[in-house]
Structures are given as structure tokens and as C-alpha cells.
Amino acid sequence: MPPKKKNAADEDLGAMRAARFGRVKNDLSMGFVGLPNVGKSTLTNLLAGACHAEAANYPFCTIEPNVVRCIVPDQKFKYLSKTFKPSSVVPAVLKVVDIAGLIKGASEGAGLGNAFLSHIAAVDGIFHLIRAFDSDEVVHVDDSVDPIRDLETIEGELCLKDLDTLGKVLETEKTAARKAKGISKSNEPPLTEMFQNAYRKTLELLEKNTPVQTGEFTSGEVELIKDWGLITTKPQVYVVNLSKKNFIRKGSKWLTKIQEWVKEHGDGQIIPMSCEFEQDLFDMKDDPAGQKAYLDECTQTAADLGLKGPGFVAKSVVARIIRSGRAALCLQSFYTAGPKEVRAWTIQTGTLAPQAAGVIHSDFERGFIKAEVANYDDFKALHAGAASMAKIKEAGKYRQEGKTYAFQDGDIVVFMHNANKAGLPLGLTDCPLGHI
């Protein structure tokens, strides 16, 4: 049986917990991490919708990290685009990095370990891809398929690297404390209680092969740990690559074991999928009727096994993987919409109005006056087919928000800002994005 599905609120809470250690930026990235030949390059290609990486059956075929930008599936954006029919549409994207496979001993430089670990350190979140399919054609670096062993290998290497980093952090802190207190190198310097608590909690987690991002820390401890450069502070989404047969029937001998392992190591979101299934579907991208027939056939295969109901309707999970990566990084969209362009702008959850304006242009943030905001659901319910905000304004649902407003996912916005304060020439006063 597949792992029990978590509700959206639980997943959002987990994402917020993990992302607290991250950078405050809008252009964040997820990286695929796993052993060689687990399907990272294939899945990266599928997420991007094109063959960007060299997907080959060779352990180190991806040496330099392959970076793609995946369009974020967004029904709100599609609806606005159909409504306004602009000459230009710009969707939100998620940057995904295909990182070459790790092997046991990578933390000590085995394989191409040092380079790979530096690539992992450079991304903001991790898609932990786990192989749970058998194939004589795709070799396994350890000669047999065992997802639990693979999980232990990968998480172990990441934790070992962090333990090494943590040791250097301690020595740096001691050196700074000795210098500040004028203490000789032979004596132990006093360290702050906050540092000691953060260090102790982090050490305990890493020694248990558990990611630091799953731990309980005070806000002050989080601020300290942010500067330590630990890989396992990054949010992780576990993606399980099944055979097509097992994906169709939503069952594998490994799924429950994987779920138990993840729960024992701090918990996290698990997404079962099949590169084999997704590739077959993608190869028919120019034949919608063929894709539908393929999905119907897969659904019927499950039904013939007595597996019926919504949970056994065959469908792609590529969109879910992209959305889960974005959620793990606590990213969301707001929209600008008009006859010339509909665009989805990416911000982090909790971004205030001036900083959201700054995503469009830094001058918008400096000269911010207000944001005129419509909720997407209100727009959809009230606009009566018109490509304008007239009906929303008539219903009193068109709001003016100031500097303390935290943007909500799906807000439709016009920014008003002062051109002189922003330092722009007066000739730009007719800017369609709300320049006055």
C-alpha cells in the first residue's frame, strides 16, 4: 500500500520548518540528490519538458550540474491568461539542478564526492530521489536494489560532511572567543549558552544520521545555524522512483519501509512516481489522444487487479513534484495582468508589499506608495467574463494595501509608486504596472 497521504496543512507546516534556515531570495533552487542511475537526469528532463541533460546508463554521466527552469503548473495563471488574452505571458518557474550521483565515501572524496557535495551545498532544497525499481538494463552502483541502504548511504554522506563542517565551526568559535577574552590557545574559552545549545542539538541530530532541518531550535539558534553552511539544513522532498507496474498499482514492498525510515529520520514528504511511466507519457506529448488512451489503459490495468477508485486513476505526478519543490522553498506567486502581459512573479511566503514590488523593479520598492490588490477567487467569481477589475471594484473587493501588507498566494496586483522618490525620469508616468 502507498504511504498515507498527509493533508496540505501538514505539508505547509513542514515546509515552513525546513525553510527557516534558507536564504531570503526569490530565485531559489531545488537539486536532485541520489546514487548514480536512480533516474535523476531522466526526471530532470521530464520536469523541464525537454531533454536538457544527457541521460545515459553510466554512473557519472552528469559531471557538471545540469540546471533547468521548470514551468510551475498554475491553474490561476492559465485562467488569467485566457481571460486577458495578452500578447505576452510569463509563467513562474522553479530552478532545478541535476546533481551527479553520490557514492559511499563521498564525504571523504570518493568518486567525485567533493565536487558533488559542493553542488549540493549551492542549492536551496533537495529532491532526494530513491530507486525502488529492478532492471537488468540499468546497473545499480551497489549491484542490487535496496532503497533503505541507499537512503542510509546518501543521508549518511550528507551528515558526515556536516559533522566535518560542524567541527570547523566549533574551532572557529573557540578561536574568536579566545581572541575576544585574551585567552591562550591551550585553555578552553567560554562559549555562549546559545551557541552551546545550538551546537549540541545539531551534533545529536547528525550523529543519528538525521537532517538538521528536522530539529527543534529557538529562533536565536536558527539564526546562528544559518551561518554554519550545513547541507542538511535544506528542506528535503523524498521522491521514490518505482517501476511502471508498481506505480500503476500504487504498491511496492519498499514503500512502507521507506515511509518508516523517513519518519525515523525526522519525517518529510514522500512522492511515489515512475520515470518509466512518465517517460512513456511524455513521448506522446504531440498526441493528446494517444496520451489519453495510454492513461486509460493504465487505469484499466489497475482495475483488472481489483484496484479501483480515484486513487488508482493513472495520471502524471510531474506537476506535483514541481509544486512540492516550490512549497518546500516557501515560494508563492502574485500576478500582474493586463492586455499587454500576464505575468506570475515569485516571492517567498510572508513577503511584504514593498519587497514584492521590488521583485518587479528595485525602484518600485524604493518609491512604494501602495498596492491595489484583488484576490484571485474574488476576481474569478465576479469579473463576469470581462478582462478588467470593474466588477470587482463594484463589489467592494478591490483593496488598497500599504507597506505592512503580507502578500497572499494568487494576489492580482497593481503597484503605485513615486517616480521622483525612486529616482526615475518623469517620462515614465504611464507605466502599466502602476507607476505614478
Side-chain angles (χ1 to χ4, degrees):
M1 293 294 289
K4 184 179 178 181
K5 185 178 179 181
K6 295 184 179 182
N7 62 45
D10 289 340
E11 291 186 358
D12 288 346
L13 180 62
M16 290 297 292
R17 170 188 289 274
R20 62 196 159 150
F21 294 103
R23 298 178 296 161
V24 181
K25 288 184 64 178
N26 305 309
D27 187 23
L28 302 179
S29 60
M30 294 290 290
F32 273 111
V33 174
L35 294 178
N37 289 350
V38 298
K40 297 186 298 299
S41 295
T42 299
L43 186 49
T44 302
N45 296 340
L46 290 165
L47 293 187
C51 294
H52 289 282
E54 179 193 357
N57 180 23
Y58 181 71
F60 300 111
C61 68
T62 311
I63 297 175
E64 293 301 321
N66 182 63
V67 182
V68 297
R69 293 185 179 272
C70 311
I71 293 175
V72 176
D74 185 346
Q75 293 302 317
K76 296 176 182 178
F77 177 78
K78 286 184 179 179
Y79 185 85
L80 292 174
S81 299
K82 288 180 180 178
T83 300
F84 284 88
K85 298 179 176 60
S87 54
S88 172
V89 294
V90 184
V93 296
L94 175 69
K95 185 163 70 173
V96 177
V97 182
D98 173 18
I99 300 170
L102 288 174
I103 61 172
K104 193 171 183 64
S107 60
E108 298 174 350
L112 298 173
N114 290 328
F116 296 166
L117 288 167
S118 70
H119 293 155
I120 296 171
V123 300
D124 302 284
I126 294 172
F127 282 128
H128 194 147
L129 187 59
I130 308 139
R131 175 175 173 173
F133 67 91
D134 291 300
S135 173
D136 294 333
E137 298 177 357
V138 183
V139 298
H140 191 290
V141 70
D142 290 324
D143 297 323
S144 63
V145 175
D146 185 342
I148 304 305
R149 177 198 61 209
D150 295 351
L151 281 164
E152 289 285 351
T153 296
I154 296 298
E155 203 68 68
E157 293 302 320
L158 300 183
C159 288
L160 283 171
K161 184 62 176 178
D162 277 357
L163 281 168
D164 179 62
T165 301
L166 193 62
K168 295 174 183 176
V169 166
L170 179 60
E171 289 307 312
T172 299
E173 187 72 12
K174 286 183 176 181
T175 299
R178 287 191 184 99
K179 185 176 181 180
K181 298 290 185 180
I183 298 173
S184 67
K185 193 173 182 179
S186 59
N187 294 323
E188 283 294 312
L191 302 177
T192 66
E193 182 178 357
M194 184 178 293
F195 177 89
Q196 291 184 62
N197 288 337
Y199 177 84
R200 173 181 52 78
K201 293 177 184 179
T202 302
L203 181 63
E204 288 174 356
L205 287 165
L206 293 174
E207 288 180 337
K208 294 177 182 176
N209 209 22
T210 300
V212 173
Q213 54 99 351
T214 64
E216 297 287 343
F217 298 97
T218 66
S219 58
E221 291 165 356
V222 167
E223 290 304 312
L224 272 180
I225 295 169
K226 275 184 178 181
D227 295 330
W228 294 356
L230 302 178
I231 292 173
T232 64
T233 56
K234 303 176 189 296
Q236 293 191 40
V237 177
Y238 296 90
V239 182
V240 184
N241 188 6
L242 303 168
S243 66
K244 180 169 76 172
K245 175 183 176 181
N246 285 342
F247 177 72
I248 289 171
R249 68 187 187 90
K250 301 296 187 289
S252 165
K253 66 180 181 180
W254 294 113
L255 282 176
T256 299
K257 295 177 182 179
I258 291 170
Q259 183 185 33
E260 291 171 352
W261 186 95
V262 170
K263 188 172 183 179
E264 290 170 1
H265 291 77
D267 213 352
Q269 185 182 10
I270 301 172
I271 302 178
M273 57 80 62
S274 169
C275 284
E276 181 185 5
F277 168 88
E278 298 288 354
Q279 188 68 62
D280 287 348
L281 184 63
F282 179 78
D283 289 343
M284 292 181 273
K285 64 183 183 299
D286 297 325
D287 181 11
Q291 284 189 324
K292 184 180 183 305
Y294 174 74
L295 293 174
D296 289 344
E297 179 186 348
C298 292
T299 300
Q300 186 58 50
T301 299
D304 292 343
L305 296 172
L307 306 172
K308 301 179 181 181
F312 295 99
V313 174
K315 59 183 178 181
S316 171
V317 296
V318 165
R320 183 186 172 198
I321 293 172
I322 294 172
R323 285 194 293 263
S324 71
R326 203 162 187 255
L329 298 173
C330 290
L331 299 176
Q332 64 184 40
S333 291
F334 71 87
Y335 309 106
T336 52
K340 292 184 178 180
E341 180 182 83
V342 170
R343 182 186 290 248
W345 302 89
T346 298
I347 55 174
Q348 285 197 299
T349 302
T351 298
L352 300 182
Q355 288 69 51
V359 173
I360 297 176
H361 197 290
S362 58
D363 289 327
F364 278 43
E365 180 176 355
R366 284 195 294 271
F368 178 86
I369 296 174
K370 63 183 178 181
E372 295 183 349
V373 183
N375 175 272
Y376 169 82
D377 291 332
D378 289 337
F379 174 80
K380 185 176 181 181
L382 297 169
H383 77 103
S388 78
M389 292 292 171
K391 295 291 185 182
I392 293 81
K393 291 178 180 179
E394 288 176 11
K397 296 293 186 178
Y398 196 69
R399 315 184 311 274
Q400 293 186 353
E401 301 289 356
K403 294 181 178 181
T404 60
Y405 175 67
F407 265 51
Q408 303 301 305
D409 190 39
D411 280 345
I412 307 168
V413 187
V414 172
F415 289 109
M416 312 299 285
H417 79 288
N418 188 316
N420 292 331
K421 186 174 181 180
L424 291 177
L426 293 176
L428 295 178
T429 55
D430 60 348
C431 175
L433 290 175
H435 182 94
I436 65 172

